[in-house]
Amino acid sequence: MQDNNALIQLDAGVPGGTPAPVAGAEEERVVPRELSGREKAAIVVRLLLTEGADIPLEELPEDLQETLTHQMGRMGLVDRVTLASVAREFSDALAGVGLSFPHGLAGALDAMNGKIAPTTAARLRKEAGVRQIGDPWQRLRALDAEELATMAQAESTEVAAVMLSKLDTAKAAELLGQLPGPVARRITYAVSQTGKVTPEAVDRIGWSLAAQLDQRPIAAFKDAPGERVGAILNQSAAATRDGLLNALDEEDAEFADTVRKVIFTFAHIPTRIAPRDVPAVIRGVDQAVLINALAGAQTEGDQAAAEFVLANISSRMADNLREEMGERGKVKQADAEQAMTEVVGAIRALLDEGAITLVEPEEEEA
């Protein structure tokens, strides 16, 4: 990017220093040609490309890319003395750059992406009427398949076919899996009609779809309502959790069902934790807490979870735990629930770290 800023300086006619006399008696009698800033920039780009340099010209504003390309087409031949003079001026300009900033508000917003509040970025972008620079498809590829499916169903079949073609194979397969069968078939067939779509059209479609993301209202919460309620109820006492779920059933059965899918309790361990992951789970729990959780299991579901844990660790460790459970005796319900909550917390921590994954219900049924 520093090279690009020096190019912009040359293009604008900013001097990079007085050229030193050209070495050699014969060459001293040759005066460098008078050049405009655009001509100098074209010479530098041509020289760097000839030397095999990888110049990120795509990071320049589009108008400068177009101007530079036109200028290169008009240059013709440049003598060695002029070339040496321009190269020296560019080198001096480059050496004088202490810090480079993005070009324009669009570049500044992209550079600050993730560093300032999303609401602030969206407001500035909307007020200034600027769009993101770079490749819009890179931003679209970062969306999950469910969001892409929603966008695809809102667009024409032809636009959806272009979107499908621009995704990587795995994401495209996920997208098709999120669509109703007839819609997926129409879009898949429409891909066969995209052979003559121009790069300009693909670019316009990409920016149009990306613009929809900027027009969406900024959500105050990262997680969906069901996930937030489920996370709260995960940490609640069983009586409180059951009472609230029953109340939710009466108010909004669909929302209650969503919350139930998010909730993970001690009783869910046999159906959602793979047997191979049980040793990793108990390693993250204090032994006294684990004893309270296992010995305090009262309901049928909790007892099944306790037996599942004991059955999927070494027999020696299981025997030791059973012996300590017998010595511990009866555990108060409050202590048992607190211990089970801590076990579930350890599981959540492992999930967040990516150390284990939950077994999906459909996988279990299969």
Side-chain angles (χ1 to χ4, degrees), residues 2-204:
Q2 193 177 39
D3 287 353
N4 282 348
N5 280 313
L7 283 174
I8 293 173
Q9 283 189 344
L10 287 176
D11 181 56
V14 177
T18 304
V22 181
E26 181 181 348
E27 292 182 347
E28 284 182 359
R29 293 193 295 271
V30 182
V31 179
R33 285 168 48 186
E34 290 290 335
L35 299 171
S36 67
R38 291 180 180 180
E39 290 173 321
K40 293 176 182 179
I43 290 173
V44 170
V45 169
R46 177 59 176 162
L47 177 62
L48 293 174
L49 291 176
T50 301
E51 295 297 323
D54 183 15
I55 316 173
L57 294 176
E58 69 277 2
E59 296 181 11
L60 288 173
E62 291 184 4
D63 58 333
L64 287 185
Q65 293 183 47
E66 184 176 346
T67 300
L68 177 61
T69 304
H70 282 304
Q71 186 61 53
M72 290 185 70
R74 293 193 292 263
M75 288 304 295
L77 296 174
V78 177
D79 61 81
R80 292 173 55 196
V81 175
T82 301
L83 175 61
S85 176
V86 172
R88 186 177 297 107
E89 184 176 348
F90 175 71
S91 178
D92 290 342
L94 191 61
V97 175
L99 186 64
S100 63
F101 284 87
H103 187 80
L105 182 57
L109 285 169
D110 284 340
M112 297 290 282
N113 185 36
K115 307 299 181 183
I116 60 176
T119 51
T120 302
R123 178 174 53 80
L124 288 173
R125 194 177 297 280
K126 185 175 181 179
E127 288 176 359
V130 298
R131 70 181 191 183
Q132 286 193 321
I133 59 177
D135 180 9
W137 292 105
Q138 185 174 358
R139 186 180 178 193
L140 292 166
R141 292 186 193 103
L143 300 177
D144 59 42
E146 187 175 352
E147 287 183 282
L148 290 171
T150 301
M151 295 180 72
Q153 292 183 81
E155 299 293 336
S156 68
T157 302
E158 293 75 14
V159 169
V162 171
M163 178 196 296
L164 188 69
S165 301
K166 290 293 290 183
L167 299 175
D168 59 78
T169 305
K171 181 62 70 69
E174 277 188 79
L175 168 58
L176 289 177
Q178 294 286 334
L179 295 171
V183 176
R185 286 191 291 273
R186 285 198 301 270
I187 293 174
T188 304
Y189 172 73
V191 172
S192 67
Q193 310 299 312
T194 59
K196 294 183 179 180
V197 177
T198 64
E200 292 78 12
V202 172
D203 189 55
R204 286 196 302 272

Side-chain angles (χ1 to χ4, degrees), residues 135-365:
D135 180 9
W137 292 105
Q138 185 174 358
R139 186 180 178 193
L140 292 166
R141 292 186 193 103
L143 300 177
D144 59 42
E146 187 175 352
E147 287 183 282
L148 290 171
T150 301
M151 295 180 72
Q153 292 183 81
E155 299 293 336
S156 68
T157 302
E158 293 75 14
V159 169
V162 171
M163 178 196 296
L164 188 69
S165 301
K166 290 293 290 183
L167 299 175
D168 59 78
T169 305
K171 181 62 70 69
E174 277 188 79
L175 168 58
L176 289 177
Q178 294 286 334
L179 295 171
V183 176
R185 286 191 291 273
R186 285 198 301 270
I187 293 174
T188 304
Y189 172 73
V191 172
S192 67
Q193 310 299 312
T194 59
K196 294 183 179 180
V197 177
T198 64
E200 292 78 12
V202 172
D203 189 55
R204 286 196 302 272
I205 291 172
W207 282 119
S208 176
L209 294 174
Q212 296 179 26
L213 302 180
D214 294 327
Q215 294 168 4
R216 291 179 180 178
I218 304 297
F221 302 102
K222 181 180 179 182
D223 298 327
E227 293 177 343
R228 297 199 302 274
V229 174
I232 294 170
L233 295 184
N234 268 332
Q235 304 295 320
S236 303
T240 302
R241 180 170 56 246
D242 293 341
L244 288 173
L245 285 173
N246 290 334
L248 283 177
D249 279 327
E250 297 176 3
E251 295 290 335
D252 188 337
E254 185 176 348
F255 180 66
D257 185 56
T258 300
V259 172
R260 282 191 172 89
K261 291 178 180 177
V262 175
I263 290 176
F264 181 93
T265 64
F266 189 78
H268 290 116
I269 289 177
T271 56
R272 303 301 305 279
I273 298 296
R276 65 176 181 276
D277 290 332
V278 172
V281 170
I282 65 173
R283 279 197 299 270
V285 181
D286 182 79
Q287 181 140 328
V289 172
L290 183 60
I291 295 299
N292 278 349
L294 297 176
Q298 299 291 327
T299 66
E300 182 178 346
D302 290 342
Q303 290 176 350
E307 286 302 318
F308 178 81
V309 169
L310 293 170
N312 287 286
I313 56 178
S314 69
S315 58
R316 180 179 178 182
M317 181 178 292
D319 290 341
N320 289 338
L321 288 175
R322 286 192 175 93
E323 183 178 343
E324 291 190 47
M325 288 164 59
E327 294 174 356
R328 176 68 176 82
K330 187 175 181 180
V331 180
K332 294 181 180 178
Q333 183 178 355
D335 292 340
E337 288 188 357
Q338 177 61 33
M340 291 177 188
T341 299
E342 290 190 38
V343 173
V344 170
I347 292 173
R348 289 288 180 190
L350 290 172
L351 290 171
D352 292 340
E353 295 169 4
I356 65 173
T357 56
L358 291 180
V359 176
E360 296 298 331
E362 52 266 28
E363 293 178 7
E364 178 201 354
E365 292 169 5

